[in-house]
Amino acid sequence: MSVVKINALTVPAEMREELERRFGNRAGMVESSDGFEWFELLRPVEGTDRYLVYTRWRSEEDFKRWQESQSFQAGHAQAAAEAASQGQGQGHGHGQGPSQGHGQGQGPGHGHGQGPAATGSELWSFEVVQSTGRRKS
């Protein structure tokens, strides 16, 4: 079955709107990636400052291929270029290493020229062992 990657982004209240805007303007290259199945950006409603970036992939290999793809690299290069052109660092607001590959085509910290919107992140990985949709009457 599918694998799920959830990037838990810690986002200060004053950066929530900016984070959502940045995701809304994302390049969208992930949607055409082989093995990509689903994306959702989940806004916290109470008790936490963590957004969840949910992606579902056909396999771990498909996710890894996306991380290594030209589209993924181009998205990160674009974010870095925008940050540099505005005199900002890339920022490391959502971390590096494993969390870098959440599959959204966003740069580190979702900087996109204005520094990071998130102040931290974790990447969680799951295998789907059961799944269901709405039952038709």
Side-chain angles (χ1 to χ4, degrees):
M1 290 195 102
S2 301
V3 296
V4 170
K5 301 295 180 174
I6 299 173
N7 197 354
L9 300 173
T10 303
V11 182
E14 67 274 10
M15 293 303 292
R16 286 180 165 199
E17 190 174 306
E18 180 64 19
L19 179 90
E20 292 177 22
R21 183 189 67 75
R22 292 174 189 181
F23 267 99
N25 292 335
R26 65 193 174 88
M29 292 182 254
V30 69
E31 286 90 341
S32 60
S33 297
D34 188 39
F36 172 81
E37 295 179 350
W38 200 259
F39 161 84
E40 290 179 316
L41 175 62
L42 305 176
R43 176 193 302 141
V45 292
E46 59 186 36
T48 185
D49 58 357
R50 296 179 99 183
Y51 275 73
L52 300 181
V53 181
Y54 173 100
T55 57
R56 189 174 66 217
W57 298 85
R58 178 179 52 208
S59 69
E60 182 70 24
E61 292 73 27
D62 289 319
F63 174 73
K64 287 180 180 178
R65 259 193 305 279
W66 159 246
Q67 283 184 297
E68 297 167 359
S69 73
Q70 289 181 345
S71 295
F72 181 85
Q73 300 303 321
H76 286 78
Q78 178 182 352
E82 289 176 11
S85 73
Q86 296 199 10
Q88 302 279 334
Q90 267 184 292
H92 295 275
H94 85 288
Q96 294 296 310
S99 65
Q100 183 180 8
H102 58 82
Q104 306 316 310
Q106 301 294 315
H110 303 95
H112 289 257
Q114 300 173 21
T119 59
S121 80
E122 285 179 65
L123 181 67
W124 303 335
S125 298
F126 300 88
E127 291 180 333
V128 177
V129 293
Q130 293 184 22
S131 182
T132 188
R134 182 182 167 138
R135 199 176 277 191
K136 297 180 182 180
S137 305

